[in-house]
């Protein structure tokens, strides 16, 4: 039955995507996420700051943009099983889209370093979840070799369809702003997303749909900052488990985006990240996961030109990682169920 409304990023941007004409579209209506004005950040930085809230995608992260492409292409070419390594969000997205396509899905995750919500998603969508006693980089190394031994397709961002789908985030930003922002702040883990956004902006520039290109400002967590430090990190460590990655697959894509755009790849401490995370929730009413806040943490430590247009991508939803949220706030008070007790503790004066 034909219905009106948004039908996902492939249907919306098909003419700009490398997608076969008769390909099967596997979609959960991902994309079309809001670009939310951030008044308090704007005031603090003397700029016009917007938040691209990717947590509102179907599985709660930007990964769905790439996954609709990767799974659609895989389905169109008769693939029956997909595999990925993941710090969590890729596994949640792969599990959901593979199920939608009646394919099986295997995910390798680092034991003990995946947010609760993401683990729940991968499991409830029916993926085979394998926890490895190692980190993401070790999981991806194994995944890369799997297609030589079993009939599976990789849906990590080493699969070019992932990057191709994720570039639509840039298209949506341009569709709302009418042009590129001046600065594009984004967390960097495996570096697929910064590579994808830059590809999207470049494509729209080559089509004269925008007059300028943004400075790409990528931020890694200080304990997992191989690109900034200039070498792979054997034991990456950060509270932002989503970007706990020591050897990014799209390393070159990230450095190219930064240098070609006149931007940079920087690093922010866990303290910076949690401060931005809490600021976003308390001051802007936008709840993202810790890794996502690395973009805003990056903005906090950067200079931006007065009155410039700034976009910070918030890559995943705050509900993904309830444990970190609860650890950052004081526990609610417990009282007897009486009016007087409520009045005593509710902290609203008349
Ligand atoms: C919320 O799910 O790598 O630089 O396996 O979940 O494109 O890797 C997640 C990465 C930022 C970094 N924010 O993006 C995975 C995974 C969130 C993320 C990133 C991730 P890339």
């Amino acid at each position: 039955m034909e219905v009106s409304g948004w039908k996902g990023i492939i249907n919306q941007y098909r003419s700009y995507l490398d997608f076969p004409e008769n390909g099967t579209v596997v979609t959960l209506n991902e994309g079309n996420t809001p670009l939310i004005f951030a008044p308090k950040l704007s005031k603090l930085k003397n700029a016009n700051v917007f938040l691209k809230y990717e947590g509102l995608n179907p599985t709660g992260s930007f990964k769905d943009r790439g996954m609709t492409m990767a799974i659609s292409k895989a389905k169109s070419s008769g693939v029956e099983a997909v595999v990925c390594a993941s710090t969590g969000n890729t596994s949640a997205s792969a599990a959901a889209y593979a199920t939608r396509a009646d394919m099986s899905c295997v995910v390798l995750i680092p034991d003990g370093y995946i947010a609760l919500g993401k683990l729940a998603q991968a499991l409830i969508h029916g993926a085979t979840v394998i926890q490895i006693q190692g980190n993401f980089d070790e999981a991806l190394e194994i995944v890369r070799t799997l297609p030589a031994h079993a009939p599976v397709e990789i849906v990590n961002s080493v699969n070019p369809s992932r990057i191709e789908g994720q570039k639509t985030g840039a298209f949506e930003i341009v569709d709302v702003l009418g042009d590129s922002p001046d600065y594009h702040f984004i967390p960097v883990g495996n570096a697929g997303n910064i590579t994808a956004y830059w590809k999207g902006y470049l494509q729209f520039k080559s089509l004269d749909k925008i007059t300028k290109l943004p400075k790409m400002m990528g931020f890694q967590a200080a304990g997992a900052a191989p690109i900034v430090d200039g070498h792979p990190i054997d034991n990456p460590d950060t509270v932002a488990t989503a970007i706990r990655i020591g050897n990014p697959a799209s390393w070159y894509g990230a450095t190219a985006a930064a240098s070609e755009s006149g931007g940079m790849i920087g690093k922010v401490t866990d303290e910076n990240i949690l401060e931005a995370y809490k600021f976003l929730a308390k001051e802007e009413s936008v709840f993202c996961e810790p890794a996502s806040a690395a973009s805003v943490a990056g903005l906090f430590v950067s200079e931006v030109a007065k009155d410039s247009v700034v976009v910070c991508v918030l890559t995943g939803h705050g509900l993904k990682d309830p444990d970190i949220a609860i650890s950052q706030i004081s526990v609610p008070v417990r009282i007897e169920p009486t009016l007087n007790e409520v009045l005593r503790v509710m902290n609203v004066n008349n």
Side-chain angles (χ1 to χ4, degrees):
M1 185 181 137
E2 264 299 304
V3 293
S4 59
W6 183 270
K7 298 192 183 72
I9 59 113
I10 297 177
N11 289 313
Q12 183 71 17
Y13 295 112
R14 198 161 183 144
S15 59
Y16 305 113
L17 299 175
D18 175 20
F19 191 76
E21 202 166 312
N22 298 317
T24 307
V25 177
V26 181
T27 181
L28 293 166
N29 294 12
E30 61 293 315
N32 199 22
T33 58
L35 191 65
I36 304 172
F37 181 64
K40 295 186 180 158
L41 276 171
S42 296
K43 196 164 174 214
L44 267 176
K45 300 306 288 191
N46 267 316
N48 303 289
V49 181
F50 295 86
L51 307 168
K52 180 66 172 160
Y53 193 22
E54 289 288 276
L56 293 188
N57 273 296
T59 76
S61 88
F62 71 100
K63 303 286 182 182
D64 295 342
R65 295 180 186 276
M67 208 54 75
T68 183
M69 279 289 286
I71 297 290
S72 294
K73 274 208 167 176
K75 186 70 183 173
S76 303
S77 55
V79 171
E80 286 176 6
V82 294
V83 63
C84 67
S86 181
T87 58
N89 279 325
T90 301
S91 67
S93 186
Y97 281 81
T99 290
R100 187 80 179 189
D102 295 319
M103 293 158 88
S104 56
C105 177
V106 179
V107 305
L108 272 67
I109 56 172
D111 188 17
Y113 289 92
I114 167 172
L116 191 63
K118 303 173 187 178
L119 180 59
Q121 287 178 290
L123 291 167
I124 200 95
H125 289 305
T128 301
V129 176
I130 303 172
Q131 314 201 61
I132 66 152
Q133 289 163 344
N135 60 34
F136 169 84
D137 304 290
E138 292 167 295
L140 183 57
E141 222 173 284
I142 297 167
V143 163
R144 283 179 189 270
T145 65
L146 277 178
H149 303 280
V152 290
E153 182 155 310
I154 300 173
V155 291
N156 280 104
S157 56
V158 294
N159 178 334
S161 298
R162 283 276 315 281
I163 306 280
E164 186 68 4
Q166 284 170 214
K167 77 183 181 188
T168 59
F171 298 166
E172 289 179 16
I173 289 169
V174 169
D175 285 347
V176 170
L177 296 177
D179 206 337
S180 282
D182 298 303
Y183 301 88
H184 181 103
F185 285 81
I186 184 167
V188 173
N190 213 23
N193 212 27
I194 188 171
T195 303
Y197 269 96
W198 185 234
K199 187 178 186 192
Y201 285 123
L202 285 178
Q203 186 173 354
F204 264 21
K205 184 73 174 60
S206 74
L207 295 169
D208 283 331
K209 290 180 77 77
I210 50 180
T211 64
K212 59 184 180 186
L213 288 162
K215 291 187 193 314
M216 300 298 291
M217 311 287 285
F219 284 86
Q220 304 194 290
I227 300 176
V228 183
D229 295 348
H231 55 83
I233 307 289
D234 285 340
N235 295 302
D237 192 27
T238 168
V239 67
T241 52
I243 52 173
R244 188 173 168 271
I245 294 173
N247 192 12
S250 297
W251 188 309
Y252 173 73
T255 52
S259 64
E260 290 170 18
S261 70
M264 63 175 287
I265 309 293
K267 58 181 174 182
V268 283
T269 63
D270 279 5
E271 213 176 24
N272 297 150
I273 289 173
L274 291 173
E275 191 193 335
Y277 170 74
K278 285 183 279 187
F279 184 95
L280 284 163
K282 262 188 81 79
E283 305 294 335
E284 304 288 9
S285 304
V286 178
F287 188 26
C288 66
E289 64 172 287
S292 307
S295 60
V296 171
L299 174 60
F300 273 131
V301 301
S302 302
E303 293 281 329
V304 294
K306 193 169 179 311
D307 297 330
S308 55
V309 177
V310 176
V311 169
C312 297
V313 182
L314 301 182
T315 44
H317 203 290
L319 292 172
K320 293 269 191 178
D321 200 343
D323 296 313
I324 297 290
I326 295 290
S327 78
Q328 293 303 305
I329 50 181
S330 49
V331 179
V333 290
R334 279 217 165 83
I335 56 160
E336 295 290 315
T338 66
L339 173 63
N340 278 345
E341 277 295 276
V342 172
L343 286 171
R344 183 176 65 79
V345 298
M346 74 182 204
N347 202 22
V348 177
N349 300 318
N350 56 12

